[in-house]
Amino acid sequence: MLDNDFKTLNAFIHTARHGSFTAAAQALGLTPAAVSKSVGQLEQSLNTRLFSRTTRSLSLTAEGEHFFTQAETALALLQQAAEHISGSGRQYAGNVRLSVSNVIGRNLVLPCLHALQQRHPLLDIELDFEDRIIDFVKDGFDLVIRGGHIAESSLVSRALSPLHLCLAASPGYLAQYGTPRRVEDLPQHRLIARRFASCRYSPWYFRQDGTLLPFEAARHVLTFSDPEACALAALDGSGIAEIPIYLALPHLQAGRLKVLLGDCHHAGDYRLVLQYAHRNLPPRVRAVAEHLFAHLSQHPGLHTAPHELAAFAA
């Protein structure tokens, strides 16, 4: 597949993920006009309109939705195949330092490392698990992976995926305490909260009458600073928790968790990003960055939308 074909599909996929040419351009390091042109060329080649456009919004058509689902997986596989061929016989060597938040590192990055080192056995990977803001120059990191509301900075940020959330509880908890059917039912339940390092609680959001409203409970039976701990507490029947879908999905599929209030719960506007200090990365660092991007672009928990969880509702 030609390099221009990769770029055209990348422009479409990022626009579909982010919902605008401007956001897609920021993720790709391009101009909005260049992204819009690439998407237009793709629509012309397919003879199909992939987006419905107005002066204020951009949304996928039915054909665009279908194409996006297939193209996202296909592009990741094609990128891996092309990289394998073009990189065959090329060995990268040296040390690469990554900073990754704890829960993302354990659940998303560690599973990628075995394949990376099989492909590049001369690379030495140093992975620091931490949630603090780092100084690239002072701390000596090559790459950073972070999730959440990503603040503006001088770093180059490459969007990997959205980070959606779901509200969930175990079947055992629901059998004992009942199933909430409305937001107004939640205060009568045992609720599990997440607290950030700033000592600020993370409120839950719900859409009611077209408005996005925060829900902040008067009492939480358990409070954790780690989202994985929230998931584990929900699994053991301690209460209702808001959990990242990438953590919840295998437990939902196995019947160990059930989704609650999915018709009105707001799944969050969080992102998973790969960051680095400069666009001109050393080859050894770029090899790691591209490997992580390719693997995470196929992770089912990162690319399962909230509306696809209806089958797991209580």
Side-chain angles (χ1 to χ4, degrees), residues 113-193:
L113 296 186
H114 179 66
L116 172 64
Q117 294 209 294
Q118 282 196 316
R119 184 174 175 187
H120 301 296
L122 299 181
L123 280 179
D124 299 325
I125 307 300
E126 185 177 341
L127 192 62
D128 277 30
F129 292 86
E130 52 193 343
D131 296 300
R132 66 183 177 88
I133 298 173
I134 68 163
D135 183 321
F136 261 91
V137 176
K138 180 180 177 182
D139 298 328
F141 286 105
D142 298 299
L143 299 168
V144 170
I145 294 180
R146 289 288 186 267
H149 289 300
I150 307 302
E152 293 294 327
S153 73
S154 59
L155 300 176
V156 178
S157 290
R158 186 175 180 183
L160 294 168
S161 77
L163 280 178
H164 292 308
L165 308 171
C166 65
L167 211 62
S170 71
Y173 171 87
L174 299 175
Q176 183 174 357
Y177 294 98
T179 301
R181 299 299 180 186
R182 304 174 304 152
V183 177
E184 290 78 11
D185 297 335
L186 289 176
Q188 282 72 55
H189 280 266
R190 299 178 64 80
L191 307 181
I192 299 167

Side-chain angles (χ1 to χ4, degrees), residues 219-238:
R219 174 177 178 252
H220 299 106
V221 296
L222 289 169
T223 301
F224 301 103
S225 61
D226 178 51
E228 192 169 20
C230 294
L232 292 172
L235 279 167
D236 73 11
S238 294

Side-chain angles (χ1 to χ4, degrees), residues 35-52:
V35 173
S36 177
K37 181 179 179 181
S38 290
V39 171
Q41 289 173 338
L42 179 61
E43 290 180 318
Q44 187 175 3
S45 68
L46 295 172
N47 195 28
T48 302
R49 184 167 291 277
L50 301 172
F51 290 100
S52 296

